[in-house]
Amino acid sequence: DSGVTQTPKHLITATGQRVTLRCSPRSGDLSVYWYQQSLDQGLQFLIQYYNGEERAKGNILERFSAQQFPDLHSELNLSSLELGDSALYFCASSGGPVTSGGQETQYFGPGTRLLVL
Amino acid sequence: GQSLEQPSEVTAVEGAIVQINCTYQTSGFYGLSWYQQHDGGAPTFLSYNALDGLEETGRFSSFLSRSDSYGYLLLQELQMKDSASYFCAVRNYGQNFVFGPGTRLSVLP
């Protein structure tokens, strides 16, 4: 158990709908990362927040948005869903913003499996 | 852009040693990380190389050569529980994380 929690574990919805995925980081961790993993695909970095502020943005679609709240939990909002958005969405957390040369081990949550029908 | 390449599959027997390679094309990055992911599970951190050379953590070792744009993960004394997918990853100077496509390791009895 990494200490990172994600809800819901499974989500089935229809095309065109909007869903919200929730992540609670490990106690004390300030950074939250979101990843998408499609079937048989590697991990695609979506976005990172540090202490409520957006820190880095990866391959996140305009239909997707995220935020980190004062209590440090984060939500990933996916709208106008398409069949291709079906994937496993992971949240990870780490202690700090990652300074140059430093390693911030990321602790991954169990993921939310999204199925768009 | 940045890209990392890994072999898609590797097979080895229990007790053996296996090396999973990762080659990359990226303009600059802080270090090379390795993650393990079992089927249906979440990725877990294994190792990190900030500098060139070998890092050892128990049965796992990782190597980085920036001049050769190359790194590898070495798994020794393979066990059945090591059957999983292994991903290399970098954090580039743009602060984005880039993961390789993953190598599926199958350990046979």
Side-chain angles (χ1 to χ4, degrees):
Chain A
D1 184 358
S2 66
V4 178
T5 60
Q6 290 186 247
T7 56
K9 289 186 178 180
H10 302 275
L11 196 51
I12 302 175
T13 188
T15 55
Q17 295 299 303
R18 172 190 171 93
V19 297
T20 297
L21 313 183
R22 181 187 171 101
C23 168
S24 293
R26 293 189 322 154
S27 177
D29 281 357
L30 299 178
S31 280
V32 170
Y33 312 78
W34 285 99
Y35 293 88
Q36 179 192 59
Q37 186 174 38
S38 302
L39 190 63
D40 296 328
Q41 295 295 311
L43 287 155
Q44 298 292 320
F45 169 68
L46 296 178
I47 198 163
Q48 179 204 354
Y49 279 83
Y50 171 72
N51 204 21
E53 300 286 332
E54 182 183 303
R55 171 69 62 165
K57 184 177 274 191
N59 301 319
I60 188 166
L61 300 173
E62 286 190 9
R63 299 183 287 108
F64 297 180
S65 64
Q67 55 184 325
Q68 186 179 28
F69 294 87
D71 66 352
L72 300 177
H73 91 272
S74 178
E75 293 181 356
L76 178 67
N77 301 296
L78 315 177
S79 61
S80 302
L81 284 168
E82 302 176 359
L83 296 178
D85 297 328
S86 296
L88 195 54
Y89 291 84
F90 286 107
C91 164
S93 74
S94 69
V98 181
T99 55
S100 61
Q103 161 62 6
E104 285 275 343
T105 300
Q106 293 185 41
Y107 297 89
F108 282 76
T112 293
R113 187 171 296 279
L114 173 66
L115 180 61
V116 182
L117 299 175
Chain B
Q2 296 86 30
S3 66
L4 291 86
E5 295 184 2
Q6 302 178 236
S8 58
E9 293 183 8
V10 173
T11 301
V13 296
E14 264 189 306
I17 299 173
V18 71
Q19 179 174 311
I20 299 174
N21 297 325
C22 175
T23 57
Y24 57 85
Q25 292 184 347
T26 180
S27 55
F29 62 95
Y30 293 113
L32 184 70
S33 300
W34 288 93
Y35 286 81
Q36 177 192 61
Q37 185 179 27
H38 286 97
D39 285 347
T44 57
F45 171 78
L46 290 177
S47 186
Y48 175 73
N49 291 75
L51 304 174
D52 285 6
L54 192 68
E55 293 285 339
E56 298 180 80
T57 309
R59 293 189 297 114
F60 296 168
S61 301
S62 59
F63 174 83
L64 174 64
S65 170
R66 290 180 185 264
S67 59
D68 296 323
S69 298
Y70 164 74
Y72 66 73
L73 180 69
L74 190 73
L75 297 86
Q76 303 181 71
E77 302 173 13
L78 280 175
Q79 302 174 11
M80 297 295 289
K81 68 178 182 180
D82 297 330
S83 292
S85 292
Y86 293 84
F87 296 90
C88 58
V90 298
R91 183 171 183 123
N92 61 37
Y93 290 154
Q95 300 296 322
N96 291 334
F97 284 93
V98 181
F99 279 73
T103 297
R104 189 173 185 86
L105 171 64
S106 297
V107 180
L108 305 177

